[in-house]
Amino acid sequence: LRRNLQSIGGNLIVRNGNPLEVIPQLARELQVKEVAWSEVPGYYECSQSEKLKKMLLREVPYRCNVYTTCSLTLVHPNDLPKDQFTWERLARPKEKRKKRKSKPNSDTAIPLEIINGNEFSSTITN
C-alpha cells in the first residue's frame, strides 16, 4: 500500500499507541495545517474525539485546524442512546450495576398518609 501511494505522490505513515498522544505528536512532527477524521457514534468515542479536538486547537506552540465528519451507514442518530448510563450499559452488558429507582408513571397508585397535616387513608393516582 505504501508503494502504491508513493507512486502517486502520497505516503503511508503507520503509528501505534494512544491517539490522544500519537496524533498531536505526528501533527507537530509533520507541521500539518489541518487534521481530519471521521467520528464514530459511541460515548467513549465521542469523548475521545472531543479531547483530541481541544488538544489540536489549543496546543501551544503548534496548533492546527480540525475537521470532523460523521459517516453513519447502518445507524440512524435517533436510534442511539441519549445518555451516558445507557451507553455504558450497552457497552458492558454483563457488568453489574445498582438498580435505579424508577419514577412512578401516571397510572401508579400512590398512598397518601399525611398531606398538610391531615391524615388520609385513601390512595390517589397521578
Side-chain angles (χ1 to χ4, degrees), residues 42-106:
Y43 176 79
Y44 174 78
E45 291 83 355
C46 290
S47 173
Q48 293 293 91
S49 183
E50 287 302 313
K51 287 178 187 176
L52 184 57
K53 283 179 196 176
K54 289 177 184 175
M55 290 173 72
L56 292 170
L57 292 171
R58 296 185 180 144
E59 190 156 318
V60 177
Y62 185 78
R63 294 178 218 168
C64 62
N65 294 322
V66 173
Y67 300 96
T68 61
T69 183
C70 187
S71 55
L72 303 173
T73 56
L74 299 175
V75 180
H76 190 280
N78 292 341
D79 295 336
L80 297 172
K82 303 292 186 230
D83 59 274
Q84 178 179 350
F85 176 78
T86 306
W87 275 112
E88 289 173 356
R89 184 175 49 79
L90 292 171
R92 296 182 295 278
K94 294 181 180 179
E95 186 176 295
K96 293 186 178 184
R97 293 176 185 76
K98 291 182 180 179
K99 288 187 177 181
R100 289 183 168 183
K101 292 182 179 179
S102 61
K103 294 181 181 177
N105 63 28
S106 60

